[in-house]
Amino acid sequence: DLVRPLGQLPSRRKDFDAILLETTGLADPAPIVYTVQTNPKMSDNYRIDSIVCLADCKHLEAHLDEKKPDGSINEALQQVAFADKILLNKIDLVTPAEKAALETRLRTINKFATVIETERSRAPLDKILGLNSFNMESILNYDPGFFDAENDKKIHNLELVQSVGIKFAGNLHAQWFNMFMMDLLRERAADLYRTKGLLSFHGQGNTKFVFQGVHEQINFGPAKNPWKEGEERENKFVFIGKNLDRKELTKSLMECLYKEDDTKA
C-alpha cells in the first residue's frame, strides 16, 4: 500500500519538499522503516528524516500504563520507544508537577528522543523537519551524560521498556563484535526497538564506524569523519527495548574488545 503511491512521486520531485506519513495511534512504525530502507523503489528515492511521536500530555500516563491481555507491550510504549522526537501536546491542561513527572518517565523509556512541548499541536517545524534525526551518525550528537551509568541509578526504573546508553574506551575485535550482534538480534530482535552505535575496530586505522537498527534490520558503515589525531577511541551504544539488562549488555560488549594477546582470531 505504501510502495505504490510513493513510487509514482519521484517524477514530481520538484512539486514537494518532503512527505509526511501519518500512522494511526495503534500503528507500529517498524514496518514502514523496513519498507523504506529495504525496497529499492523506496531507498533509491527516499530517506527517513525523523520518527515523530505525538503524545497527549493529559492522557498519556494512562496509555503507558495500559495492560494488554497477552502481556505484550502496549502501542503507546512502543511509539515512545521508536521516536526521535516526542511532541508533548496539551501541556496547558496539566500542572507543572504532572508535566515534569511525565517527562521524567519519557526519559526513562527513551532518553535519547528530543521532547518538544506544544499546545494545541502548534509545533515548531524547524525543530521537526529537515533535521535528518533518523540517521546512523545521530549518536555522535548525543549528550555525553546519556551514557553514564550513574544517571540510570538515580531513577528506580520499573518500566518494561527503557533506554540504555553504554560507553567504554578501546578497539573492538570485529569478528567477536559481529558474533555478539548476530546472537543478540537472533535472540532478542523483537525486544529491541532501536539500536545505535559508534565503534572503533582494531586494524581499521582511523575509520570511525556507526550503525543504527530497528529490530533486526541494521544499517552499518563508516562515519563521514574519521577519528581525529589524539582523539580517545570511545565506543558508544544505545539500546531501547524491553527488559534490558545494562550490566549484562556492558559485560558482553566489553568482551568484544581486542586484546594484544588475543589468540582467538
Side-chain angles (χ1 to χ4, degrees):
D1 293 341
L2 185 65
V3 175
R4 187 178 297 108
L6 292 186
Q8 299 172 356
L9 291 179
S11 60
R12 298 171 50 195
R13 184 63 187 87
K14 295 181 179 180
D15 297 337
F16 58 90
D17 297 316
I19 296 174
L20 301 181
L21 298 177
E22 181 181 4
T23 64
T24 69
L26 300 178
D28 178 358
I32 295 177
V33 173
Y34 181 81
T35 299
V36 173
Q37 292 187 330
T38 61
N39 187 296
K41 290 184 179 179
M42 301 291 286
S43 59
D44 289 349
N45 295 289
Y46 302 100
R47 65 169 174 81
I48 297 176
D49 182 68
S50 184
I51 297 178
V52 181
C53 173
L54 177 61
D56 185 328
C57 195
K58 179 69 174 177
H59 301 103
L60 180 58
E61 196 86 31
H63 290 298
L64 293 175
D65 290 333
E66 181 183 342
K67 305 296 182 183
K68 301 200 72 172
D70 59 357
S72 61
I73 300 300
N74 69 58
E75 288 78 7
L77 276 169
Q78 289 188 50
Q79 294 201 357
V80 169
F82 273 114
D84 298 301
K85 311 281 185 182
I86 301 173
L87 297 182
L88 194 56
N89 194 37
K90 301 182 181 179
I91 60 172
D92 53 319
L93 301 182
V94 299
T95 66
E98 289 172 333
K99 178 168 68 69
L102 181 57
E103 289 183 343
T104 296
R105 186 173 183 183
L106 291 175
R107 284 194 296 272
T108 301
I109 300 168
N110 185 350
K111 64 182 175 182
F112 303 98
T114 302
V115 177
I116 303 171
E117 298 180 2
T118 66
E119 296 181 19
R120 300 178 183 176
S121 299
R122 294 173 180 169
L125 296 182
D126 60 332
K127 293 184 179 181
I128 302 172
L129 301 178
L131 300 179
N132 199 19
S133 302
F134 187 91
N135 76 90
M136 292 195 296
E137 298 203 18
S138 63
I139 192 171
L140 301 176
N141 302 318
Y142 287 156
D143 185 332
F146 287 164
F147 299 92
D148 293 337
E150 291 301 316
N151 284 349
D152 289 347
K153 295 178 181 177
K154 295 177 183 178
I155 301 175
H156 183 49
N157 190 359
L158 299 177
E159 299 286 353
L160 280 176
V161 176
Q162 58 185 291
S163 52
V164 171
I166 298 170
K167 67 176 181 179
F168 54 82
N171 291 318
L172 294 165
H173 190 301
Q175 180 182 351
W176 304 131
F177 176 73
N178 288 337
M179 290 175 62
F180 163 75
M181 287 299 295
M182 285 191 295
D183 290 343
L184 180 67
L185 294 174
R186 183 178 64 248
E187 298 168 5
R188 302 287 309 278
D191 295 338
L192 293 170
Y193 299 135
R194 299 285 297 270
T195 53
K196 300 182 182 184
L198 166 65
L199 314 170
S200 175
F201 286 116
H202 172 75
Q204 294 298 319
N206 292 326
T207 304
K208 183 183 294 186
F209 290 90
V210 289
F211 76 85
Q212 175 171 244
V214 174
H215 291 312
E216 70 277 6
Q217 178 67 30
I218 297 286
N219 289 334
F220 170 88
K224 291 181 180 179
N225 298 315
W227 296 100
K228 297 178 182 178
E229 187 70 29
E231 181 181 4
E232 183 179 17
R233 301 296 182 92
E234 194 169 53
N235 302 281
K236 296 181 179 180
F237 303 89
V238 171
F239 298 95
I240 304 175
K242 177 182 177 183
N243 296 326
L244 299 180
D245 186 329
R246 180 195 181 92
K247 184 176 180 180
E248 182 60 32
L249 283 169
T250 302
K251 176 177 178 292
S252 297
L253 284 165
M254 293 192 71
E255 288 176 349
C256 299
L257 283 171
Y258 175 84
K259 304 175 183 60
E260 290 299 331
D261 59 349
D262 198 339
T263 59
K264 298 178 184 178

